[in-house]
Amino acid sequence: MHAITRIRRRRLLGLAGAALAAGALLPAASASADTGDQDQPLSALRQRARPLGDLDAVVRMVGDARVVGLGEASHSGHEFFTLKQRTFKKLVATRGFTTFALEASWSTGLRLDAYVVHGVGDPAEIMREEFQGQYVFWNTEEYLDLIRWMRHYNLSHPDRPTLHFVGNDLGYAGPEAFDQVGEYVRAYRPDLARRVEALYEGLRPAAGTQAGAWMGRQLGKDVASREAERDRAARVLTLLRDAGRPEGAAGGRASRATRAYEWAVQNATAVAQSFTGYAFPAEQFPERMRYRDRIMAENTAWWLDRTGGKILLASNNGHVAYVSDSPQEFPEPTGAFLRERLGAKYVNIGLTFGRGSINALPDFTAQVPRTYAVPPAPAGHNEHTLDRVRYEDYALDLRTAPAAARAWLDMARPTRSYGLYWPTPDDDSTPDDDATPDDSTPRTALARSYDILIHLHRVRPGRLR
């Protein structure tokens, strides 16, 4: 991304979900837009809107989906986080969901899952250590509450399927994935142990490594060094795949050796994914973003295939969507890959909001978040009309919208979405009640992007820890 100009970079990052070591996925504006008559669809929208209440309407809309992608219009909104917690609890109770997957590193998911399933570690400390850099806004009281609830659920419901926590992203290649591969080869493939150890030398983060600092160093390396590390990580994966399952592992999936092999391949895959992601040069930014979204879909699908359960995938609107708002920069979202693989078994939910305040970083050099006010959306924005529906907080099934609403929902209009960075081109801007984003607000055709829409009237900042 070093070739991107200062202002363009701020716009890309400010409107983004957490992208690879810098924080971008949601795009700037698309070319098509026609604000049209905002009043025309209101009657139809009001008739079809269902108040959130206890989320019964949302559960009915989800149906028999196996993966539900639940977006957010800001990486740090309290109501977005609590809605995801409420939705997951509801789906666990009524639809048999067992996994909460987050736009976070695979190795981070391993650590948090060890706590949720086995009580290993302190979740507050794990979150402080892991949710750094591009994942800084996940270190919240809301997510800590959810993770502790998942552990309590597993302890108090031993007769029910175990709940799991999964990270599907590639930003930080933490030591847990390396260690699992090493344990496997020492136990089942000692002939490979020295070669794997040599290839991983210098790639595995040392004890005490800060995740945010590690990601920053990776991005700062020259392309040749990043490509060399990519090739070494990929070589380990090739060795494991070429060697195949250990002898005696042909007895089926119940075999301990088979399970160990499957996990070793997946963890080696996760390590290779991370180093591959960092190997893209700045001028291949769109390819990097396509790769990242595809990998998040693949890791989610791997977990689904392995467990046979159901997954709530928590991510940014731009990741769970079917259509990119800026295909030149962000070619294909995670949701598009999941729909191709799962068909109707993948259902996504986009989130919008009318007003309030959120946390964001002032720019890509900042370390300390600030709180920014978001005033009511102006006429011509999707939220301006959505906020006039009779319920403050409600859900809409966009797949069954009547024709009077469908034409409006199919039109691309400005739609707010905030990632790590506050999207103002003014380097001297300060957070206050008058702070407003610039005119690079992305344009979204709601019905082409999402199956279900949840609109919240007002949001507050997430409770950062």
Side-chain angles (χ1 to χ4, degrees), residues 353-358 372-376 457-460:
F353 73 106
R355 68 194 70 189
S357 54
I358 61 170
Y372 292 88
V374 182
H457 180 66
R458 184 183 296 272
V459 301
R460 295 165 290 169

Side-chain angles (χ1 to χ4, degrees), residues 322 346-349 396-399 446 449-453:
Y322 295 128
Y346 174 71
V347 171
N348 69 5
I349 305 173
L396 281 166
D397 191 332
L398 305 181
R399 298 163 297 183
L446 296 172
S449 295
Y450 311 114
D451 297 310
I452 301 164
L453 179 74

Side-chain angles (χ1 to χ4, degrees), residues 279-294:
F280 285 92
E283 59 271 19
Q284 293 183 8
F285 180 81
E287 290 80 2
R288 178 192 297 176
M289 293 298 100
R290 183 196 299 273
Y291 178 77
R292 183 188 177 214
D293 274 280
R294 177 170 63 82

Side-chain angles (χ1 to χ4, degrees), residues 168-226:
N168 72 346
D169 205 358
L170 47 66
Y172 175 50
E176 291 72 26
F178 291 91
D179 293 346
Q180 196 279 334
V181 174
E183 291 168 4
Y184 167 79
V185 294
R186 286 191 295 272
Y188 296 100
R189 285 299 202 188
D191 55 312
L192 299 179
R194 288 188 178 180
R195 296 169 69 186
V196 170
E197 183 179 352
L199 287 167
Y200 274 169
E201 184 177 1
L203 300 186
R204 180 191 182 278
T209 298
Q210 294 294 309
W214 186 92
M215 290 186 282
R217 286 194 297 271
Q218 283 302 114
L219 199 64
K221 293 178 180 179
D222 62 84
V223 173
S225 297
R226 286 182 273 155

Side-chain angles (χ1 to χ4, degrees), residues 306-328:
R306 179 185 178 275
T307 65
K310 297 180 180 181
I311 300 173
L312 178 68
L313 170 58
S315 195
N316 186 274
N317 279 346
H319 287 304
V320 305
Y322 295 128
V323 178
S324 171
D325 293 325
S326 181
Q328 293 78 20

Side-chain angles (χ1 to χ4, degrees), residues 10 41-42 49 74 173 228 252 275 312 345 348 356 390 407 418 439 448:
R10 287 176 62 90
L42 268 176
S74 163
F275 285 94
L312 178 68
K345 295 300 181 182
N348 69 5
R390 58 181 171 175
Y418 307 96
D439 60 1
R448 286 185 271 143

Side-chain angles (χ1 to χ4, degrees), residues 99-117:
T99 298
F100 187 91
L102 180 64
E103 179 192 330
S105 299
W106 175 264
S107 55
T108 301
L110 296 179
R111 294 189 68 187
L112 289 172
D113 192 55
Y115 169 77
V116 167
V117 177

